Amino acid sequence: MQIQEQPALEKPSLYDRLGGVYNIATVVDDLIDRVMADPKLNANPRVNEAHHRVSAAGFKYLVTEMTCWAAGGPQKYTGRPMGDSHRHLMITEEEWNAFMDDALQALDRFKVPGPERQELIAIIESTKETIVVAPFQEGIDRSGR
């Protein structure tokens, strides 16, 4: 009698464990609403200007697309690289922390389970070094002048 080896069961992708595009889009919708209205983020005049220049719907679309792609879904991210789309905003560590607080509140609201939550946080954190600028050097004017 020969025993056949069972193929290893492949763990479903984060995308599948989150419930696909509709669930991801729902969380992103909430997150972007929080981000667009966050007074800590909008205190940065460059961020505030960007929040009023781009449509919330388009922003939500691109973040949903990116999140689905990063979570292993079939979507392809079509937006600009994170550094290109954020570097000019002069985002600080404190602003990053405010954004992360918004993200955690969105994950809490929709009761994203612990393992998936940690994977999403790791994905978000992987973008930090291209988004957050080094601590401000003396003489840099955040207003863009």
Side-chain angles (χ1 to χ4, degrees):
M1 174 183 228
Q2 192 172 19
I3 298 175
Q4 288 188 347
E5 220 175 280
Q6 291 287 338
L9 293 177
E10 198 172 300
K11 182 179 180 180
S13 69
L14 176 59
Y15 176 83
D16 290 331
R17 288 180 284 130
L18 290 170
V21 67
Y22 294 109
N23 287 348
I24 292 169
T26 299
V27 175
V28 168
D29 180 65
D30 182 79
L31 169 62
I32 299 308
D33 284 346
R34 291 173 191 277
V35 166
M36 297 290 266
D38 190 322
K40 292 178 186 169
L41 297 176
N42 288 324
N44 175 335
R46 291 170 185 238
V47 170
N48 187 48
E49 188 273 328
H51 283 171
H52 291 90
R53 184 175 26 87
V54 300
S55 92
F59 191 18
K60 290 175 182 184
Y61 172 80
L62 288 172
V63 174
T64 298
E65 192 179 66
M66 176 188 283
T67 305
C68 289
W69 167 79
Q75 294 77 4
K76 302 287 183 243
Y77 175 61
T78 59
R80 295 177 10 215
M82 291 294 93
D84 292 352
S85 60
H86 291 85
R87 191 175 302 111
H88 68 286
L89 300 176
M90 307 286 287
I91 294 171
T92 66
E93 185 75 30
E94 293 76 24
E95 292 159 351
W96 174 264
N97 291 337
F99 167 77
M100 287 304 297
D101 184 56
D102 292 337
L104 294 173
Q105 288 180 48
L107 297 175
D108 287 346
R109 177 173 181 211
F110 294 100
K111 297 176 178 45
V112 175
E116 289 75 20
R117 177 186 180 97
Q118 290 308 313
E119 287 181 62
L120 283 168
I121 291 168
I123 289 168
I124 296 168
E125 287 285 347
S126 75
T127 67
K128 181 179 178 179
E129 87 174 36
T130 59
I131 293 174
V132 176
V133 297
F136 287 137
Q137 299 165 2
E138 200 65 35
I140 292 180
D141 179 1
R142 289 174 53 153
S143 69
R145 288 177 262 158

